Amino acid sequence: MKAQRLWDEGTRKRLIEAAGEVFARRGFRAATIREICRRAGASVSAVNYHFRDKDGLYAAVFEYSHRWAVEKYPHDMGLEENATLEERLRAFIRSFLLRGLGDGFPAWHGKLIAQETADPSGVLSKVAQTAIRPMDEYLEGIVRELIRKANPSREPNESAVQLCRMNIVGQCIFQMHARRFMKIADPEELSPPQIVALADRICRFSLGGIRAIAVEGQS
Amino acid sequence: MKAQRLWDEGTRKRLIEAAGEVFARRGFRAATIREICRRAGASVSAVNYHFRDKDGLYAAVFEYSHRWAVEKYPHDMGLEENATLEERLRAFIRSFLLRGLGDGFPAWHGKLIAQETADPSGVLSKVAQTAIRPMDEYLEGIVRELIRKANPSREPNESAVQLCRMNIVGQCIFQMHARRFMKIADPEELSPPQIVALADRICRFSLGGIRAIAVEGQS
DNA sequence: GACAGATTCTAACACATGTTCTATTTTGTG
DNA sequence: CACAAAATAGAACATGTGTTAGAATCTGTC
C-alpha cells in the first residue's frame, strides 16, 4: 500500500495562510489567485491542484480560520458557570473583536465575516451558516435575558431582541471596516489590550442601550 | 452662434440613474459599465462620451445623489431652532437611515457610503470628504453635548465622543448591509414609516448607550 | 435642403483574471 | 536504482472588463 500523504503541510498550508491574509484584506472577489500564489511562493496551478478552484480555497480558508478562532477566542472566553449576564456580554464582545481586529491569524475570521456582511461571496452557504448562526443565537440569548432582567414585568419583545443584537454586531463590524475607511493605508493595528478596552466600552454602551430598549413604551 | 445644449437631459441622466442603482447594489468595483448601459438603454461608449470613464461616472453619481439626498433629508430634518439634543439625534438618525434604506433614489446615497466604508473605491478623495466630514462633525457635536448633559461634572472625554459617534454610524450602516447578508435576494424593502420607526429605536438605544458612556469611571 | 457639430452605435483592442493542459520535478517505496 | 504517484511550474485558453476608434445618425441653424 502506498503511504499517501493525506495532509500536505507545505504548499497547502502556505496557500491557506497567504489566502487568509489576502481574502481578509481585499474580500473574496477582489482577491486574486495570482497574488495569493505569489505570497505563498507557489504557482497558480497549485490552488487548482489542492483546492479545485478559488471557491474551494476560500471555503478552506474560512473553515481553517473559524476553527482556529473559536478555539483561541471562544464565545464565553472561559467564563465561570455562574458568570453574570453582563460578564457574558462583555466576554462575547471581547471575543468578537479579538477575532476581527489586530493583524495576522486571529483577525482573519472576523475580517472575513465583515467582508461577507458587506459583499456576500455566495460560496459559504453551508460553512457560513454553521459558523455564524450559533454565534448569533448565543448573543441573542444573552440579549433576551438582559432585556428580561431590565424589565421583568413583561416578556421580552422579539423585535427588540433582534434590534439589540444587530446593533451590537453592527458596532463591532463597523470597527473592523472603519480603520481602512478613515485613513488610507494605515498599517498600525490595535494591540490586544487596546482591543479589550474598546470591547469593554462597546459593552458598556450596549448595556445602556439594551436597558433603554427594554423599558420602551413605558412612560 | 450655435445653441449648444449645455446639459443633456436624456442619455446623461438615464446613465446616472442606472449607474446609481447598480453602484449602490454592487459597489464600485463589481459594477460593470455594460450592465449600467444596458439598463440605461445606451451603448457602452456613452459613458466615455459623457463622463470620460468609470471613475467620472461614479463621481457624478455620488455628487448627484448627495445633492439630492441632503436636499430631501437634511441632517436636522427641518427641526426648530429650540429642539432638544435628543430630538436632534433622532432627526439625524432618521435622515441617515432614510438616505440609506428603502429603494430607488433616496437610498442611493446611503448605500454608496455603506459600500465605501466596506471597500473604499479611492476615487472619492475630494467629493467624499465634502460629503462625509460635515455629517460626521454634525453628529459629533450632538454626541458631545449629550455626554456633557449626562455628566456635567467634567468635560466630555474625546475618545468617548468618537466611540459613541462610531457606534451610532455603525448601527445605521449595518442595517444597510444586513438585509442583503441575512437573506439572499430579498426584494422587499422597508417603507418610510418602518424606516422612521427603526431609526427611533436606534436613537433610543444610542441615547441609553451615550448616557452609560458619559458616566464611565464613576462608581 | 445642406452642413457642421453633437451624439450614438458597433466593433475592436488591451489587459486582467480564473481555469486548464502538459511537461517536468520531486517523493516515497520496492 | 527503478518506478509510479504526487506535486509543481509554466504556458495557454476562455471569459469578462474598461477603454477606444471610426463609422453612422441625429439635431439645430442657415
Side-chain angles (χ1 to χ4, degrees), chain A residues 150-154 211-219, chain B residues 204:
Chain A
N151 188 358
S153 66
R154 64 180 179 195
R211 292 196 197 98
I213 292 291
V215 298
E216 199 174 25
Q218 300 176 341
S219 75
Chain B
R204 176 181 293 270

Side-chain angles (χ1 to χ4, degrees), chain A residues 12 15-16 28 33 44-60 123:
Chain A
R12 184 185 171 92
L15 272 176
I16 287 185
F28 174 72
I33 289 183
V44 292
S45 57
V47 44
N48 169 267
Y49 181 79
H50 289 282
F51 305 96
R52 212 177 80 92
D53 54 12
K54 189 182 180 183
D55 293 17
L57 174 59
Y58 188 64
V123 308

